[in-house]
């Protein structure tokens, strides 16, 4: 069955510290992978996506993610966190070959940033 | 580009009434729109997939008679919660798939609608 696991429900980091949010997926084919961010009371904003090619993808707001097929992972990273990064982060996987069926979301990781 | 709006952003209604939520793609044509429901501190659950000009496809366990979806044009989809009850209170989010841009699977999300049923 297709699934996405975000092992960390809640993470707290200090402003300026580095960040890594974990995401593991279970999918029978090569997936499309996404990271979204949701601020309180807001919809989801796409941070970055991986379809194919270079396994290290750059996104907005200084975020990057690395696709590791051998580990079925797509971890999100940022070298230096800002207070404005405090939000809920969702990893998602989508079907391959042009299908537009549902995105499967992980349960989310809530990020808190200490000043 | 790729902006999706929802209206209203927040609605409070009495039990037994119906509520309509609109989802619009503002600067692109969306042949497919998706409706999600998000429970407090939980992930998004896909409710249905809405295709322009055809009937929506509902996920297992979602009552199609309760959550009516209409995708009347390439820029508008509506979700009507009929005979709403307190258990329908939730955050409803729509997304739209960009047509013929950036590949198939990028979905752009609206800001969500907070529904509270008293």
């Amino acid at each position: 069955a297709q699934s996405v696991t975000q092992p960390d429900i809640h993470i707290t980091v200090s402003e300026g510290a580095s960040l890594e949010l974990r995401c593991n997926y279970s999918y029978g084919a090569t997936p499309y992978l996404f990271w979204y961010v949701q601020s309180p009371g807001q919809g989801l904003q796409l941070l970055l996506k991986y379809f194919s090619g270079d396994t290290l993808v750059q996104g907005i707001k200084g975020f990057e993610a690395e696709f590791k097929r051998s580990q079925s992972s797509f971890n999100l990273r940022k070298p230096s966190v800002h207070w404005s990064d405090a939000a809920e982060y969702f990893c998602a996987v989508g079907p391959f070959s042009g299908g537009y069926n549902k995105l499967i979301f992980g349960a989310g990781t809530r990020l808190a940033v200490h000043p | 580009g790729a902006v999706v709006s929802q209206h209203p952003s927040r609605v409070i209604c009495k039990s037994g009434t119906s509520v309509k939520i609109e989802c619009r793609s503002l600067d692109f044509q969306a042949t497919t729109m998706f409706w999600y429901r998000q429970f407090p501190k939980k992930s998004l659950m896909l409710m249905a997939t809405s295709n322009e000009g055809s009937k929506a496809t509902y996920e297992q366990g979602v009552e199609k008679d309760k959550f009516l979806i209409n995708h009347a044009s390439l820029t508008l989809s509506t979700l009507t919660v009929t005979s709403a009850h307190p258990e329908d209170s939730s955050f409803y989010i729509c997304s739209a798939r960009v047509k013929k841009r950036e590949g198939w699977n990028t979905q752009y999300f609206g800001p969500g609608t907070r529904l509270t049923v008293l």
Side-chain angles (χ1 to χ4, degrees):
Chain A
Q2 303 162 0
S3 66
V4 177
T5 302
Q6 293 181 246
D8 305 305
I9 297 174
H10 190 262
I11 284 182
T12 301
V13 299
S14 299
E15 190 170 17
S18 63
L19 171 70
E20 181 170 35
L21 302 182
R22 295 183 291 167
C23 173
N24 293 95
Y25 67 90
S26 174
Y27 189 72
T30 302
Y32 287 179
L33 294 160
F34 307 82
W35 274 99
Y36 286 89
V37 60
Q38 184 183 36
S39 297
Q42 303 296 313
L44 276 71
Q45 181 181 22
L46 180 66
L47 284 176
L48 48 78
K49 59 184 184 287
Y50 171 77
F51 286 176
S52 64
D54 193 346
T55 56
L56 183 63
V57 294
Q58 302 297 320
I60 62 172
K61 303 184 178 185
F63 286 94
E64 65 178 26
E66 186 172 13
F67 170 57
K68 293 185 177 180
R69 186 187 301 275
S70 62
Q71 299 178 18
S72 297
S73 70
F74 189 57
N75 294 348
L76 181 71
R77 301 194 293 250
K78 186 170 184 177
S80 178
V81 172
H82 189 263
W83 64 267
S84 61
D85 294 324
E88 186 94 24
Y89 291 81
F90 292 97
C91 180
V93 61
F96 179 63
S97 294
Y100 58 86
N101 293 331
K102 62 182 176 182
L103 283 173
I104 302 168
F105 284 88
T109 298
R110 180 167 296 277
L111 173 67
V113 180
H114 279 327
Chain B
V3 177
V4 177
S5 70
Q6 281 184 242
H7 178 79
S9 58
R10 186 181 296 268
V11 57
I12 301 173
C13 69
K14 293 182 179 179
S15 184
T17 61
S18 294
V19 175
K20 180 183 285 187
I21 302 170
E22 292 185 348
C23 177
R24 293 182 185 272
S25 57
L26 298 184
D27 52 359
F28 64 96
Q29 293 182 327
T31 53
T32 306
M33 289 184 172
F34 304 85
W35 287 96
Y36 294 84
R37 180 173 180 176
Q38 185 178 29
F39 294 94
K41 298 183 180 181
K42 296 286 187 180
S43 186
L44 281 74
M45 180 193 76
L46 180 67
M47 299 174 65
T49 302
S50 167
N51 293 294
E52 188 264 339
S54 64
K55 291 183 178 181
T57 302
Y58 290 82
E59 293 298 301
Q60 190 173 10
V62 178
E63 299 177 62
K64 58 181 65 178
D65 293 332
K66 180 161 191 63
F67 299 99
L68 300 179
I69 292 172
N70 181 273
H71 194 156
S73 74
L74 287 173
T75 60
L76 173 64
S77 177
T78 60
L79 168 67
T80 302
V81 183
T82 62
S83 187
H85 290 283
E87 58 266 29
D88 299 324
S89 298
S90 194
F91 195 54
Y92 292 88
I93 301 175
C94 75
S95 72
R97 182 176 71 93
V98 178
K99 180 181 179 183
K100 295 182 180 179
R101 283 167 54 185
E102 296 185 52
W104 284 91
N105 289 304
T106 301
Q107 292 183 26
Y108 293 92
F109 286 79
T113 296
R114 172 75 60 194
L115 170 62
T116 303
V117 185
L118 303 177

